[in-house]
Amino acid sequence: MPRFLELWIESLPRLLTALVEMTVPLSLLSFAIALVIAVVVALARLYAPAPLKALAWMYVQVFRGTPLVVQLFIVYFGLPGVGIELAAFPAAVITLALNTGAYASEAVRASILSIPRGQFEAAQSLNLSRAATFRKVVAPQAMRIVLPPLANDFIDLVKGTSLVFAITLIDVFQVGRQIAAATYEPLIMYTEVALIYLALVSLLSLGQNQLEKKVSAHVR
Amino acid sequence: MSADDPLRVRGLRKTFGDLVALDDVSLDVERGTTSVLLGPSGSGKSTLLRCLNLLEKPDAGTIDLGEGPIEVGGKLTTARVREIRARSTMVFQQFNLFPHLTALGNVTLAPRENRGLSRQAAEQRGRELLEKVGLADKADSYPDRLSGGQQQRVAIARALAMDPDFLLFDEPTSALDPELAAEVVAVLSDLAAEHRTLVVVTHSLAFAKQVADRVLFLEDGKILQDGTPAEFFSSEDERLRRFREVISSV
């Protein structure tokens, strides 16, 4: 058996454990929170009073305008300086959620803006409340439009979790690093890590296709 | 106050920047009648219709729906706006059906949301209304699978489901081929024959001639002529004659 296969098989259980115990839950949790942030911020930027609108815009600017790894360092290493001490995992979740939330809010905002004015007018003329208009008219249509860019943001987030090794978390990349250091086989190990990310993202893409089909049932 | 009181509009004014779209328009719409608004484009006829439904916010004026005049020029509370809107429903030139809902879903959405009608009750009524517009067999079709004429008929059923006092039509056949437009005109004629109250903005002189009880001719944000179709079509007024000629020649 070639050396690389031997090493891959031998290291796979440890890598998969890190994947299941760190990378996946970190991604899911962060993305779930990011989605909530994205909707709230998008609505604030579209409909809130001016000060709130400005605040939402600033948030997006800050989190899109600075590198994720710097944000991680500020939250984990920096905030204790002002008395906010977070364990590494919550620090990672918060930072990833805020970072992805900034990008995703733009996708959500664009999807709402893309809904024709006539849809809002029809809802108004039928005397639907704003809440009902949003839930029953806007959201279902925006969903179809927002899925592809949102899937992009989720994929970015999954790959972005590989940075959490920098704040002491043991994710799939960090385990790969450890094994690479121990075996002196960086090419083999990092290729394996890359393939694991690729497989995970491919799985997500399949899920995206299924979802897109589901929310596009009404389109010929 | 009585259910037979006309809709009274007084001093309606609407400007878009420097453009005066409606210049102190006043009119009464009698219940059970079909009024047709005619006029060149930019005359303010669509704006007038949209103001009645508060899709456009007038700068000044009052609307009386039978319970006393309501000032619609100032700042209106959401509750007030919804109270006024509850009395009329608009049918749009571009149909504006909700594409993610079936024909039946389009018709039942507002009754279920606004009145808390059960799904069953709303659907039963929805099917009756779809049958009324000749689309009983399309209840489960999405708008994308319907022709323009069918979509507009679903939109009419959707408006009827709100049981409005006034049905407002904003060029309901302008986006349709003649033969599809005929389907829609047939439905409108039925509604007129039932003595529902219709206010229709149109370019169709034929529709005005056949269906209207009353024709209002607007130009530059003012009502220039208000009378029976016979009066409109026989008027010797130079402006009306020219309008009739231009419209019939297309």
Side-chain angles (χ1 to χ4, degrees):
Chain A
M1 192 187 292
R3 167 78 178 135
F4 80 93
L5 259 186
E6 206 177 307
L7 197 53
W8 278 7
I9 290 166
E10 200 185 294
S11 57
L12 195 60
R14 275 184 69 195
L15 288 169
L16 288 183
T17 304
L19 186 78
V20 170
E21 287 180 353
M22 181 57 65
T23 303
V24 168
L26 188 60
S27 301
L28 289 178
L29 198 57
S30 307
F31 193 64
I33 299 169
L35 279 182
V36 177
I37 295 174
V39 172
V40 171
V41 170
L43 290 178
R45 287 201 60 191
L46 287 170
Y47 305 118
L52 223 64
K53 218 177 236 180
L55 205 69
W57 177 83
M58 237 161 62
Y59 154 72
V60 173
Q61 280 306 105
V62 167
F63 279 90
R64 271 199 324 190
T66 54
L68 175 60
V69 70
V70 176
Q71 293 166 15
L72 280 168
F73 273 47
I74 290 176
V75 171
Y76 183 67
F77 297 114
L79 288 187
V82 290
I84 304 173
E85 283 190 46
L86 293 166
F89 188 79
V93 169
I94 289 170
T95 312
L96 286 165
L98 285 170
N99 183 276
T100 303
Y103 286 95
S105 76
E106 286 294 275
V108 172
R109 192 169 69 94
S111 74
I112 293 173
L113 284 174
S114 74
I115 292 170
R117 203 176 104 151
Q119 292 291 305
F120 292 93
E121 291 194 340
Q124 283 178 338
S125 183
L126 291 168
N127 219 6
L128 292 176
S129 67
R130 280 186 87 151
T133 302
F134 186 75
R135 269 187 306 116
K136 298 291 184 170
V137 177
V138 176
Q141 296 187 61
M143 199 77 89
R144 191 171 80 84
I145 298 158
V146 82
L147 260 178
L150 222 46
N152 251 347
D153 292 339
F154 189 27
I155 288 169
D156 269 348
L157 166 62
V158 169
K159 293 184 297 181
T161 59
S162 63
L163 290 171
V164 299
F165 79 91
I167 60 166
T168 75
L169 290 175
I170 318 265
D171 72 322
V172 66
F173 177 55
Q174 173 63 357
V175 170
R177 271 166 43 107
Q178 290 168 353
I179 301 174
T183 57
Y184 302 107
E185 291 286 7
L187 178 62
I188 293 174
M189 281 318 300
Y190 291 134
T191 308
E192 183 181 17
V193 168
L195 287 173
I196 289 173
Y197 278 109
L198 187 60
L200 185 60
V201 168
S202 302
L203 215 64
L204 289 178
S205 303
L206 283 178
Q208 177 191 352
N209 288 345
Q210 290 306 309
L211 262 177
E212 277 183 29
K213 268 188 204 137
K214 214 178 136 188
V215 295
S216 301
H218 61 282
V219 183
R220 183 153 37 176
Chain B
M1 165 200 148
S2 141
D4 298 330
D5 277 346
L7 162 75
R8 291 199 174 90
V9 177
R10 291 292 175 271
L12 210 58
R13 191 178 164 77
K14 175 72 185 175
T15 53
F16 297 103
D18 289 340
L19 180 84
V20 180
L22 289 179
D23 189 358
D24 249 338
V25 169
S26 297
L27 79 157
D28 289 355
V29 178
E30 299 293 335
R31 308 255 173 169
T33 64
T34 296
S35 306
V36 164
L37 303 180
L38 292 173
S41 62
S43 60
K45 53 194 193 304
S46 282
T47 305
L48 173 56
L49 198 73
R50 290 166 59 83
C51 279
L52 296 181
N53 202 228
L54 296 184
L55 286 178
E56 284 321 330
K57 181 85 181 49
D59 299 342
T62 63
I63 295 178
D64 182 349
L65 295 152
E67 284 132 28
I70 300 169
E71 178 60 54
V72 290
K75 182 112 179 90
L76 290 170
T77 62
T78 310
R80 229 333 132 66
V81 170
R82 295 192 70 202
E83 192 185 315
I84 295 171
R85 280 202 188 125
R87 312 293 290 275
S88 63
T89 308
M90 177 87 83
V91 173
F92 299 89
Q93 180 177 359
Q94 297 296 341
F95 332 129
N96 296 352
L97 289 183
F98 303 129
H100 59 295
L101 299 176
T102 61
L104 189 61
N106 267 275
V107 177
T108 55
L109 174 64
R112 290 189 64 193
E113 287 296 321
N114 293 1
R115 299 191 197 143
L117 228 56
S118 72
R119 172 190 281 268
Q120 203 188 4
E123 288 193 347
Q124 192 188 340
R125 169 110 168 97
R127 285 183 197 280
E128 284 166 19
L129 289 169
L130 285 174
E131 189 172 349
K132 185 183 177 69
V133 298
L135 292 172
D137 56 328
K138 298 292 184 192
D140 299 321
S141 301
Y142 285 100
D144 202 28
R145 312 257 166 166
L146 300 174
S147 74
Q150 290 170 335
Q151 288 190 49
Q152 191 61 301
R153 285 186 282 153
V154 172
I156 293 171
R158 179 173 74 172
L160 287 171
M162 297 307 293
D163 295 316
D165 294 355
F166 303 91
L167 281 162
L168 312 173
F169 294 85
D170 191 3
E171 306 199 22
T173 58
S174 297
L176 300 173
D177 294 338
E179 112 192 66
L180 300 180
E183 297 172 0
V184 172
V185 169
V187 171
L188 283 174
S189 305
D190 286 350
L191 296 176
E194 289 171 14
H195 295 295
R196 289 178 189 266
T197 315
L198 315 183
V199 183
V200 186
V201 167
T202 182
H203 285 124
S204 163
L205 293 186
F207 180 80
K209 205 174 246 173
Q210 289 156 20
V211 186
D213 298 303
R214 178 178 177 201
V215 173
L216 295 121
F217 181 81
L218 275 85
E219 193 172 54
D220 297 332
K222 290 193 170 90
I223 297 175
L224 230 63
Q225 154 94 14
D226 179 357
T228 64
E231 282 163 5
F232 173 79
F233 284 103
S234 63
S235 168
E236 290 300 314
D237 181 279
E238 184 51 33
R239 186 63 198 93
L240 294 192
R241 258 180 42 197
R242 211 162 2 110
F243 179 75
R244 291 198 305 258
E245 270 163 29
V246 169
I247 294 286
S248 355
S249 67
V250 285

